[in-house]
Amino acid sequence: MAALHAVGRIFLALIFLLGAYNQVSTFQGHKLKMVQHGFPSEFADAGLALAMTLSGLGGLLVIFGQVKQGATCLLLFLFPVTYFMHVAPLFTQDLSAQAFSHQVIDIFKNLAIIGALMMIVSYESAKQSDKKVKAN
């Protein structure tokens, strides 16, 4: 089971680590895309830096076993990203039917990941609580 848990952590973290790397390597392009999707331009540099930090740090924490802290970082990353990059464009941009469909699919993918991260935080919290009860 430990190997399965470790492989699962790596698989979960990879999407966030690769995303953070992509954001670093194409910073200006990502910043422009954020602004085009409705993120305030005066906060785009700081917002993208924070997004890269939360995504990269969260992924690393998950891989190296600090699962609750990593999942929390990833949740803090995913909530605003889902809103600004996928929900807001549905209402602020004139999207083709195909682009609209892709945004909706991305919203539900992110919601699935958010749900899994919430389950991880809940499970890890319960596990820590059980350890405290057993210690007393």
Side-chain angles (χ1 to χ4, degrees):
M1 277 306 210
L4 188 62
H5 192 292
V7 171
R9 289 194 329 259
I10 291 168
F11 284 176
L12 176 63
L14 277 176
I15 191 169
F16 296 102
L17 292 172
L18 292 172
Y21 173 78
N22 188 11
Q23 291 167 343
V24 169
S25 63
T26 58
F27 188 89
Q28 293 301 323
H30 272 80
K31 186 173 83 169
L32 178 62
K33 191 173 180 181
M34 287 171 58
V35 172
Q36 289 172 340
H37 281 80
F39 195 85
S41 59
E42 59 271 18
F43 302 116
D45 283 324
L48 184 52
L50 181 60
M52 292 183 307
T53 301
L54 289 170
S55 180
L57 178 63
L60 289 172
L61 287 169
V62 167
I63 284 178
F64 290 109
Q66 299 296 313
V67 183
K68 181 179 175 183
Q69 295 87 343
T72 301
C73 286
L74 297 175
L75 283 168
L76 291 171
F77 163 76
L78 268 180
F79 279 115
V81 166
T82 301
Y83 174 75
F84 282 107
M85 300 305 287
H86 303 297
V87 175
L90 297 178
F91 303 103
T92 61
Q93 295 181 4
D94 186 23
L95 300 173
S96 68
Q98 184 177 11
F100 185 91
S101 176
H102 282 257
Q103 289 291 16
V104 171
I105 290 167
D106 287 342
I107 290 167
F108 282 102
K109 285 179 185 178
N110 282 8
L111 289 175
I113 296 169
I114 287 168
L117 291 169
M118 289 175 156
M119 289 180 355
I120 289 169
V121 170
S122 172
Y123 172 78
E124 292 295 322
S125 296
K127 198 165 78 172
Q128 287 174 350
S129 179
D130 287 348
K131 284 181 184 178
K132 288 179 185 175
V133 169
K134 288 180 183 178
N136 293 329

